[in-house]
Amino acid sequence: MLSDIEIAQRANIRKITEIASQLGIGEDELELYGKYKAKLSDSLEKRLEGKKDGKLILVTAVNPTPLGEGKTTTTVGLGQAMAKIGKNAVIALREPSLGPVFGLKGGAAGGGYSQVVPMEDINLHLTGDFHAITSANNLLCAMVDNHIQQGNALNIDPRRISVKRCMDMNDRALRNIVIGLGGKANGVPREDSFTITVATEVMAVFCLCSDIDDLKERLASILVGYTYDGRPVYARDLKAQGAMTALLKDAIKPNLVQTLEGTPAIMHGGPFANIAHGCNSLRATRLGLKLADYCITEAGFGSDLGAEKFFDIKCRVGALNPSAVVVVATVRALKYNGGMSKDEAKAGTESIAALKSGIVNLGAHVENMKKYGLPVIVAINRFGTDTEAELDFIKNYCRSLGVDFAMSDVFAAGGDGGIELAELVVRACEKPSDFAPIYGTDMSIEDKISTVAREIYGAAGVEFTAKARRDIEEINRLGGSILPVCISKTQYSLSDNPALLGRPTGFKITVSDVYLRSGAGFVVAMTGSILDMPGLPKVPAAESIDVIDGRIVGLF
C-alpha cells in the first residue's frame, strides 16, 4: 500500500471554494490561503447565529500504544462514510503540532484513504495559527521581563513568574534555562523554562474563546505571576492583551480544508490532552454544528483524558449537547494493555491471552462514556496484522457489554470502510440522550479531582502533596474554586502510572502541583511525570523528512 503522503499527493483535491459551496458558504465568507485552504470569516458566523444546531458526535478511544490507534483516521473515515449514506456531515479536528510530526507519532491528518488534505500543509504550517499563538505567548513573556528590567513598577517577584516561553517543537534542552545573562543591559537574570506551544494557556484561551472580545478578556485574565508581597499579577496589569489579540486576530478564524473524498473539514487549535484539554476550538465546533446536520469531532488520546475534558470543560464552557460518542478500539492497543510489548503489538503477533487480559480496558472506557448519559458505539479499527480470531474476540466482548459495535476499515477503504459505523452513529443520534458533566462546579477543587479519579480512572482515592494543598488554598483565595479541573496525566494508563495497563484497581493518583489558568477558565492538576516540553526520540521522524524535486517526502 502507498504511504500516507503518497496517497495524499496523488489525490484529486477540489478547490476549497467548491467545498465551501456544498456547505452553503459564499466566496465572500472565505479568506483564501491558496487554492485548497481557507479561513471562515466572522460574517459567516454572524449569518448562521440563528440556525438550528446539527448533531454532535465525539470520537474518542481506549488507552493507546505509543504509536497511536487511528482515532483521527476513524473520525475522517466516519465523516466520509456519512456522505456515502447521504448524510450532510462536517468534521472538526485539531491542527497537528510540529512536536509529534518531527518526533515519534507523526502528524494528525488521519491516514491511508481517510485523510484531510492538503496533507503537507496541514502537518506543517497550515495557515500559521500556531505561529500566531507562539508569538502572542512569547510577547507576554517578553513584556514581563521588560517590565522588571525597566524598574519593575508592579513589584513582580522574578522567582514567582508562572508564564513560560514556548515553541512548537520537541526540545528537551529548553525545559530549564537561565535568562538575562551578560550584564545589566541584557535583563534581570532568572530561571525560566520553555513549554511546547500546544501546552500553553494561550492555546487553551484560543480554543475556548467565543469571539474576539472574549479572546481579549481571557488573555487579559492570564495570571503571569506574583508580586514580592504575594499579590497576583495578570496580563492586563502589563497592558499586554491588546497586542496579543492583534497577533491572534486572524488566527482565531477557523480553517476549512477537505478529506480525500471531499468531505468538509474544519481544523482549528490543538492543545495536547495529556497536558491541556485536548480539543479543537469551540468556534470550529460551533460552526460545524451550524453548517451540517452532523458534526463529527475528536478529543485527544483515550476517553479518560480527551473525552473527559471535552465533556467536563469544553461542553460546559460552550453549552454543547453531544448526541453520541464513538470509542475507537484496536487489537494492538488491547494486547498492549494486556502486557504485550509495543514491538510485538505493532508486528501483529497473535495472542488471545494478551487480548483477553487487556480487553477490560475497553470495558472501562465504554462504562465511563455511558456515565455521561450518551449512546456509545465501539469502532474496531482494523489493522492489516489483525487476525479473525482476535477481531471475533473483541466483537463477542462488545456483545457481552451490550454495546453497539462496527468494524472500521476506513484506512484501507476510505468512506466505504465506515458505512456500517456511520449507520450505527445515525441511529444512535436518534436516541434520547441525557448528557451531563460528571461533576458540578460548586464542588471543591479537591472533590472535582477526586470525582474524575474515582469515576473515570477507577482510582481508590487521591493523594495531594503539601505543595498541591498550598496551591489549592491560593487558587481558592483568587476565586478559582468554581472552575472545572483539567487533570494532566499519562495517556497510556487509566492511572497516573504508565506501567499500570489494562484496568488497574486499588491505586491512588498523586496530585503534585495545581495551577490556576484564569484566562482559560480551568484549574490544572499535575499527576505523574508529565512534561510540557517533550523531547525527540532516539530516531526522530525528522530524519526521514526531505524535499526531493520540489516535493515533500517522508511525512507519515
Side-chain angles (χ1 to χ4, degrees):
M1 185 171 171
L2 298 174
S3 69
D4 289 351
I5 192 169
E6 289 172 331
I7 293 170
Q9 289 175 339
R10 296 185 186 193
N12 182 23
I13 307 178
R14 296 163 57 191
K15 290 183 178 179
I16 200 63
T17 50
E18 295 179 26
I19 301 299
S21 178
Q22 72 188 53
L23 290 174
I25 301 171
E27 289 192 31
D28 59 345
E29 295 173 319
L30 294 176
E31 297 177 10
L32 298 177
Y33 283 67
K35 295 180 181 179
Y36 307 116
K37 52 189 177 180
K39 280 195 169 289
L40 300 172
S41 69
D42 293 336
S43 62
L44 172 65
E45 188 174 23
K46 287 184 174 62
R47 177 171 70 82
L48 296 173
E49 277 180 349
K51 187 178 179 183
K52 182 181 177 181
D53 285 349
K55 301 288 189 179
L56 180 58
I57 300 111
L58 176 70
V59 179
T60 184
V62 298
N63 290 101
T65 70
L67 301 167
E69 306 315 310
K71 185 169 69 272
T72 304
T73 302
T74 303
T75 304
V76 174
L78 175 58
Q80 294 182 152
M82 285 289 207
K84 295 280 186 181
I85 63 172
K87 301 300 181 181
N88 178 24
V90 67
I91 303 163
L93 298 172
R94 296 168 295 162
E95 299 176 52
S97 165
L98 293 179
V101 168
F102 293 122
L104 173 67
K105 190 178 173 186
Y113 289 92
S114 291
Q115 297 185 57
V116 279
V117 286
M119 185 260 216
E120 305 99 305
D121 292 6
I122 288 167
N123 278 316
L124 297 177
H125 301 291
L126 194 51
T127 56
D129 294 344
F130 283 19
H131 166 76
I133 294 166
T134 301
S135 299
N137 180 90
N138 290 345
L139 171 64
L140 177 59
C141 293
M143 291 181 73
V144 170
D145 284 298
N146 182 64
H147 182 88
I148 296 171
Q149 169 75 356
Q150 303 294 348
N152 200 5
L154 291 172
N155 203 29
I156 297 172
D157 185 346
R159 301 164 301 179
R160 298 195 67 192
I161 295 172
S162 54
V163 291
K164 300 178 181 181
R165 288 168 166 83
C166 72
M167 63 184 294
D168 190 38
M169 197 70 66
N170 292 356
D171 191 348
R172 61 173 54 83
L174 294 177
R175 288 174 187 161
N176 297 287
I177 61 174
V178 177
I179 63 172
L181 300 180
K184 184 177 180 181
N186 295 315
V188 176
R190 68 177 181 88
E191 292 185 30
D192 199 4
S193 58
F194 271 72
T195 183
I196 193 165
T197 298
V198 289
T200 62
E201 183 171 4
V202 176
M203 173 63 84
V205 165
F206 179 92
C207 288
L208 291 171
C209 73
S210 56
D211 54 35
I212 197 162
D213 292 331
D214 186 39
L215 171 71
K216 187 187 298 185
E217 180 56 36
R218 286 175 178 272
L219 292 172
S221 299
I222 292 176
L223 178 67
V224 300
Y226 293 86
T227 64
Y228 280 107
D229 54 356
R231 290 180 292 107
V233 179
Y234 298 95
R236 67 170 65 91
D237 298 319
L238 294 159
K239 300 180 176 62
Q241 69 271 22
M244 294 172 73
T245 303
L247 284 167
L248 296 169
K249 177 181 73 71
D250 293 323
I252 65 165
K253 299 169 185 176
N255 307 297
L256 180 66
V257 288
Q258 64 187 287
T259 74
L260 290 171
E261 297 180 8
T263 301
I266 304 174
M267 298 193 78
H268 201 223
F272 282 169
N274 59 343
I275 298 171
H277 72 285
C279 309
N280 67 274
S281 79
L282 180 58
R283 297 190 82 197
T285 302
R286 281 176 167 168
L287 265 178
L289 288 168
K290 298 296 185 184
L291 289 167
D293 297 326
Y294 298 89
C295 178
I296 304 162
T297 190
E298 66 167 1
F301 296 124
S303 75
D304 53 316
L305 285 172
E308 183 273 316
K309 295 169 184 178
F310 176 86
F311 293 139
D312 289 321
I313 297 176
K314 182 176 176 177
C315 289
R316 193 194 306 266
V317 171
L320 301 177
N321 290 292
S323 296
V325 57
V326 176
V327 177
V328 177
T330 65
V331 168
R332 76 179 187 186
L334 297 175
K335 288 191 294 189
Y336 179 79
N337 272 278
M340 181 175 280
S341 71
K342 178 186 72 175
D343 291 339
E344 283 184 306
K346 182 181 179 183
T349 304
E350 183 179 270
S351 175
I352 299 298
L355 188 57
K356 183 177 181 180
S357 178
I359 204 165
V360 292
N361 185 264
L362 172 59
H365 289 281
V366 169
E367 289 175 23
N368 287 345
M369 293 300 91
K370 287 182 176 180
K371 291 177 181 179
Y372 287 95
L374 294 170
V376 179
I377 305 103
V378 172
I380 306 171
N381 186 28
R382 183 195 294 269
F383 281 74
T385 54
D386 299 344
T387 68
E388 290 303 318
E390 291 171 328
L391 294 171
D392 286 343
F393 190 89
I394 298 176
K395 293 175 185 177
N396 288 330
Y397 184 77
C398 290
R399 292 186 184 101
S400 73
L401 295 178
V403 63
D404 289 336
F405 65 90
M407 292 301 305
S408 175
D409 200 14
V410 297
F411 180 89
D416 286 333
I419 289 176
E420 181 187 4
L421 176 61
E423 290 172 341
L424 284 179
V425 167
V426 169
R427 287 205 293 271
C429 288
E430 294 169 353
K431 297 177 182 178
S433 65
D434 190 23
F435 170 73
I438 205 77
Y439 59 80
T441 53
D442 57 341
M443 298 168 65
S444 69
I445 292 173
E446 293 95 332
D447 285 347
K448 292 169 191 170
I449 295 170
S450 296
T451 298
V452 173
R454 183 181 65 253
E455 295 294 331
I456 303 301
Y457 308 159
V462 179
E463 295 179 345
F464 296 87
T465 65
K467 181 182 184 307
R469 293 196 179 279
R470 291 195 300 271
D471 292 340
I472 291 171
E473 288 178 7
E474 176 65 16
I475 292 169
N476 289 337
R477 184 177 71 83
L478 296 176
S481 62
I482 62 171
L483 299 176
V485 294
C486 180
I487 302 177
S488 179
K489 80 169 188 72
T490 179
Q491 65 268 35
Y492 298 124
S493 172
L494 287 164
S495 74
D496 58 355
N497 180 355
L500 295 180
L501 301 178
R503 189 175 188 174
T505 58
F507 66 91
K508 293 184 178 181
I509 69 166
T510 300
V511 176
S512 56
D513 299 274
V514 184
Y515 304 109
L516 175 62
R517 294 292 181 254
S518 46
F522 55 67
V523 172
V524 176
M526 300 294 295
T527 73
S529 299
I530 298 297
L531 299 170
D532 58 11
M533 172 51 81
L536 291 171
K538 187 174 183 179
V539 182
E543 292 184 9
S544 301
I545 298 171
D546 201 352
V547 179
I548 298 176
D549 296 328
R551 301 185 71 170
I552 296 173
V553 299
L555 279 174
F556 282 39

